[in-house]
């Protein structure tokens, strides 16, 4: 039956390539002798197998998995979103854009014209629907800061932007147990901000306190370090002012979990027990993985592979 529905849609596409007179599920059902619900099931099945586009009407030629072999994860995630989000589903253009964008990866850089071509919609449609995707927290765009040849003018709309697929979910604030670890984590973060030097102990304490607020709101280390340009060897004339300015962008905000993080389970920080010493530690490994308090090693036991030359590391309590 899937085959017959697919054939009907193929014929229609030939007759009406722009899909100006979209067929309803009921009409389609009538043509193949099925009730609406059964037709819906077949359409959904065809879509999940990648034979139909997200609008459930446009046949995808050939074997669809070949089209995007490099990034099945992102496309699979996008399809799941469309299947499972009841608010999202009725907007076929947004659905097309999301699946097309996912074909470029979890993150990347794309111009509206490229996305339009990939999604099979007009650039104007992209411009109209892009804000929907942002509003639903499925995408974050950042305009690529490339000056326009000579003129220096910059019009955001049709220029390439960096994008990242987002899960639509925000990190929860920390629990009491997790909050107990915040001062230590905050100190470690400040340690890693290379330009934050030449400050008084009091200023440093205030900086840690400010980072602590952001950690308690659920922001992971990596995101905070990134926001702080931690690895940059810049010279800050006023390190405190600069630090608080950068942190100010995060304070009062929640951490929107990237789609890749939510989909693969990697990168999502959680508390776990070291499988050797049983100390509580932070990990980004998926739940099924063995956790060690030092990442690749147990800090109490040293290397688990070759312990002959490894002195146990003692952490100051
Ligand atoms: Zn079927
Ligand atoms: Zn839309
Ligand atoms: Zn350990």
């Amino acid at each position: 039956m899937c085959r017959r529905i697919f054939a009907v849609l193929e014929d229609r596409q030939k007759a009406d390539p722009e899909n100006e007179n979209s067929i309803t599920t009921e009409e389609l059902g009538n043509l193949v002798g099925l009730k609406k619900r059964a037709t819906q099931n077949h359409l959904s099945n065809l879509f999940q197998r990648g034979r139909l586009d997200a609008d459930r009407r446009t046949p995808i030629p050939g074997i669809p998995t070949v089209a995007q072999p490099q990034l099945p994860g992102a496309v699979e995630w996008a399809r799941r979103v469309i299947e499972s989000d009841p608010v999202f589903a009725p907007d076929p253009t947004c659905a097309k854009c999301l699946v097309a964008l996912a074909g470029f990866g979890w993150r990347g850089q794309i111009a509206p014209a490229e996305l339009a071509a990939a999604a099979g919609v007009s650039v104007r449609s992209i411009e109209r629907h892009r804000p929907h995707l942002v509003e639903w927290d499925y995408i974050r765009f950042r305009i690529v800061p490339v000056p326009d040849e000579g003129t220096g003018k910059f019009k955001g709309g049709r220029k390439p932007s960096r994008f990242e697929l987002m899960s639509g979910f925000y990190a929860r604030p920390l629990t009491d147990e997790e909050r107990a670890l915040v001062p230590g984590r905050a100190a470690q973060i400040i340690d890693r901000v290379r330009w934050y030097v030449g400050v008084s102990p009091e200023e440093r304490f205030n900086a840690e306190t400010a980072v602590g607020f952001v950690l308690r709101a659920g922001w992971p280390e990596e995101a905070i370090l990134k926001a702080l340009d931690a690895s940059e060897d810049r010279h800050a004339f006023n390190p405190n002012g600069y630090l608080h300015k950068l942190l100010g962008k995060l304070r009062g905000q929640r951490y929107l979990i990237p789609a890749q993080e939510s989909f693969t389970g990697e990168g999502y920080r959680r508390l776990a027990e070291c499988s050797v010493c049983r100390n509580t530690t932070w990990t980004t490994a998926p739940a099924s993985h063995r956790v060690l308090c030092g990442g690749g090693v147990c800090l109490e036991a040293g290397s688990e592979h070759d312990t002959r030359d490894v002195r146990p590391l003692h952490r100051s309590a």
Side-chain angles (χ1 to χ4, degrees):
M1 189 48 80
C2 275
R3 238 172 249 287
R4 276 177 62 192
I5 290 174
F6 189 76
V8 169
L9 291 174
E10 261 186 335
D11 287 347
R12 286 186 58 88
Q13 193 187 31
K14 274 174 211 147
D16 175 16
E18 292 286 294
N19 196 20
E20 273 161 4
N21 305 300
S22 190
I23 191 171
T24 66
T25 308
E26 258 162 331
E27 288 166 346
L28 187 58
N30 288 339
L31 283 175
V32 295
L34 279 180
K35 292 235 157 53
K36 188 180 172 188
R37 184 75 217 154
T39 313
Q40 252 165 7
N41 288 341
H42 289 292
L43 286 172
S44 181
N45 184 21
L46 282 163
F47 169 67
Q48 274 167 354
R49 284 161 43 207
R51 302 311 315 271
L52 285 184
D53 205 342
D55 63 0
R56 315 274 203 291
R57 294 293 181 275
T58 311
I60 296 171
I63 300 160
T65 47
V66 174
Q68 286 150 346
Q70 73 281 27
L71 303 150
V75 174
E76 198 189 329
W77 167 81
R79 294 219 157 104
R80 270 195 216 170
V81 164
I82 292 157
E83 287 286 304
S84 62
D85 187 334
V87 183
F88 193 84
D91 184 344
T93 307
C94 270
K96 274 188 196 177
C97 291
L98 191 66
V99 172
L101 200 54
F104 292 87
W106 294 109
R107 62 190 66 79
Q109 183 176 318
I110 195 166
E114 282 176 279
L115 181 55
V121 301
S122 67
V123 173
R124 281 201 53 191
S125 290
I126 295 288
E127 284 167 351
R128 229 188 350 256
H129 290 270
R130 208 157 73 149
H132 303 166
L133 291 164
V134 173
E135 195 178 320
W136 284 321
D137 293 328
Y138 288 130
I139 295 179
R140 283 292 177 264
F141 284 106
R142 215 151 38 88
I143 288 155
V144 181
V146 179
D148 205 359
E149 294 125 34
T151 69
K153 276 192 198 155
F154 185 79
K155 285 202 177 121
R158 300 201 170 196
K159 296 282 174 180
S161 0
R162 295 213 179 96
F163 73 88
E164 180 165 19
L165 301 176
M166 305 309 265
S167 66
F169 296 104
Y170 286 83
R172 58 163 177 75
L174 299 188
T175 62
D176 286 346
E177 192 197 12
E178 291 162 346
R179 279 164 173 254
L181 299 170
V182 161
R185 291 173 64 200
Q188 278 177 6
I189 288 174
I190 294 294
D191 280 342
R192 287 174 61 187
V193 181
R194 288 167 67 168
W195 50 261
Y196 190 72
V197 288
V199 297
S200 73
E202 193 193 340
E203 287 167 336
R204 156 114 199 176
F205 176 81
N206 289 338
E208 288 177 15
T209 307
V211 168
F213 275 113
V214 178
L215 282 170
R216 276 193 284 273
W219 286 78
E221 263 85 349
E222 294 70 25
I224 298 173
L225 287 166
K226 203 167 138 200
L228 290 179
D229 288 333
S231 61
E232 296 288 324
D233 264 331
R234 68 175 75 248
H235 178 73
F237 288 103
N238 175 5
N240 282 300
Y242 190 50
L243 183 99
H244 289 286
K245 185 184 157 207
L246 294 176
L247 274 180
K249 291 179 187 165
L250 310 186
R251 281 191 70 168
Q253 310 279 332
R254 292 161 71 206
Y255 175 63
L256 179 58
I257 299 168
Q260 184 178 22
E261 209 175 296
S262 74
F263 187 77
T264 62
E266 276 164 34
Y268 187 84
R269 296 185 71 81
R270 63 191 175 86
L271 276 173
E273 221 176 49
C274 172
S275 61
V276 177
C277 70
R278 302 283 156 205
N279 281 346
T280 304
T281 181
W282 284 93
T283 182
T284 55
S288 56
H289 285 221
R290 179 177 152 87
V291 173
L292 293 165
C293 59
V297 295
C298 170
L299 296 178
E300 300 293 325
S303 164
E304 56 167 339
H305 303 295
D306 182 359
T307 53
R308 279 168 303 176
D309 302 320
V310 179
R311 271 182 297 137
L313 293 166
H314 293 287
R315 288 177 294 176
S316 50

